[in-house]
């Protein structure tokens, strides 16, 4: 995992992780972005990173775009209140370049460098909701994300999970995510540079695994790092891709259902 002291996201014990998340979100409540009392309006921090009148105006525009994005997600069928709250609280614009801020809350993927993209908000919400379905509002436990990219989905995941580990194979993106996430001070999220198809054997087993890039099949090593009752969601395919949800039923038994069409960058082996 991250070297101690270097990490902007200090390690916290499993037992204290839930408390730390609540403390972090309480500390950053409404301020510039949130509309007090609104479940959807809770923001991490001031929106644009600028100060003064211009910054406040830009912040207000981004905040209302984010609320509109959450409403659209609901219209598209995302019903999980905790996921909607998380999507309403994580400032997606802070994960893309300034020139892309006006598009940050549109339901589209956007470039993040190294020929990779930040996933569509709908896809992020849909995948996390699929992992949580039937959990009656309970947080996910220990979660692995393969494909940190810019760190956006990891930030959303951290809001609905006890702890999140996210692995990225491209070093420049791992560093980008680290920078993007530093300011959000998310205590229950750890970033790792490496090949995520190997999983994290030292940290496994996981309650949930989310793969943010499409392979021709789900790597067996990841299926083996799920705990019994745990779930994995992943895009599978090359030009034609489907989102698949797999549940581990026992030591040697998994059940997979196909959810819907999707479009992801490829899952690759090794590091770059
Ligand atoms: N969740 C990201 C989406 C990033 S796109 C976000 O919110 O921005 C998918 C990412 O998966 C890319 O950054 C790509 O480099 C990464 N990836 C592909 N194969 C990988 C692997 N084997 N291990 C780790 N990351 C991988």
């Amino acid at each position: 995992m991250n070297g101690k002291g270097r990490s902007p996201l200090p390690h916290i014990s499993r037992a204290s992780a839930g408390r730390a998340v609540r403390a972090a979100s309480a500390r950053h409540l409404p301020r510039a972005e949130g509309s007090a009392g609104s479940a959807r309006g809770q923001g991490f921090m001031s929106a644009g990173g600028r100060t003064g009148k211009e910054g406040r105006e830009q912040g207000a525009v981004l905040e209302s775009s984010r609320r509109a994005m959450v409403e659209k997600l609901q219209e598209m069928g995302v019903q999980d209140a905790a996921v909607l709250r998380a999507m309403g609280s994580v400032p997606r614009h802070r994960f893309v370049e300034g020139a892309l801020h006006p598009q940050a809350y549109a339901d589209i993927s956007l470039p993040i460098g190294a020929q990779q993209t930040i996933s569509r908000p709908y896809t992020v919400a849909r995948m996390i909701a699929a992992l949580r379905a039937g959990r009656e509002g309970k947080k996910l436990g220990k979660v692995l994300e393969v494909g940190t990219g810019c760190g956006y989905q990891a930030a959303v995941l951290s809001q609905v999970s006890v702890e999140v580990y996210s692995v990225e194979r491209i070093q420049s993106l791992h560093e980008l995510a680290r920078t993007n996430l530093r300011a959000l001070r998310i205590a229950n999220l750890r970033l790792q540079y490496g090949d995520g198809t190997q999983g994290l054997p030292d940290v496994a087993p996981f309650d949930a695994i989310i793969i943010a890039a499409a392979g021709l099949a789900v790597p067996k090593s990841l299926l083996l790092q799920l705990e019994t009752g745990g779930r994995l969601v992943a895009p599978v395919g090359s030009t034609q891709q489907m989102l698949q949800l797999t549940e581990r039923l026992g030591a040697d038994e998994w059940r997979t259902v196909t959810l819907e069409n999707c479009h992801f960058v490829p899952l690759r082996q090794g590091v770059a």
Side-chain angles (χ1 to χ4, degrees), residues 116-119 145-150 152-153 167-170 173 194-197 212-213 265-268:
Q116 307 300 316
T117 53
I118 179 174
S119 307
E145 178 189 42
V146 175
T148 316
C150 63
Y152 171 71
Q153 177 166 269
V167 185
E168 172 57 54
R169 68 178 285 276
I170 299 179
L173 291 178
D195 179 355
T197 60
V265 295
L267 183 70
R268 297 200 191 283

Side-chain angles (χ1 to χ4, degrees), residues 142-270:
K142 190 157 61 182
V143 179
L144 172 67
E145 178 189 42
V146 175
T148 316
C150 63
Y152 171 71
Q153 177 166 269
V156 176
L157 265 174
S158 74
Q159 301 302 291
V160 299
S161 313
V162 174
E163 52 183 333
V164 176
Y165 293 80
S166 183
V167 185
E168 172 57 54
R169 68 178 285 276
I170 299 179
Q171 187 156 22
S172 60
L173 291 178
H174 167 70
E175 298 297 339
L176 174 72
R178 196 187 273 282
T179 304
N180 289 341
L181 289 162
R182 186 170 290 133
L184 301 187
R185 295 171 174 277
I186 301 174
N188 63 336
L189 172 55
R190 308 276 320 258
L191 303 182
Q192 169 79 30
Y193 168 55
D195 179 355
T197 60
Q198 308 298 312
L200 292 175
D202 295 346
V203 183
F206 295 96
D207 181 26
I209 299 178
I210 189 162
I211 309 182
L216 295 180
V218 173
K220 183 78 191 219
S221 48
L222 295 180
L223 291 172
L224 287 167
Q225 288 180 31
L226 271 183
E227 62 194 18
T228 299
R231 291 181 184 171
L232 177 150
V233 68
V236 176
S238 53
T239 41
Q240 285 274 23
Q241 298 173 7
M242 297 299 274
L243 212 48
Q244 287 188 355
L245 179 66
T246 301
E247 183 167 351
R248 186 168 196 176
L249 303 176
D252 211 12
E253 204 184 346
W254 291 263
R255 179 181 53 209
T256 297
V257 293
T258 296
L259 302 178
E260 59 204 50
N261 286 312
C262 57
H263 185 70
F264 280 80
V265 295
L267 183 70
R268 297 200 191 283
Q269 307 268 328

Side-chain angles (χ1 to χ4, degrees), residues 25-68:
S25 10
R27 215 177 30 248
H28 296 297
L29 264 177
R31 300 243 176 115
E33 289 188 298
S35 47
S38 146
R40 282 193 219 127
Q42 298 180 357
F44 273 92
M45 57 200 315
S46 65
R50 295 190 198 169
T51 51
K53 188 160 177 273
E54 192 194 348
R56 279 196 300 279
E57 280 169 8
Q58 191 197 25
V61 170
L62 291 167
E63 186 196 334
S64 86
S65 313
R66 190 160 66 244
R67 273 205 299 273

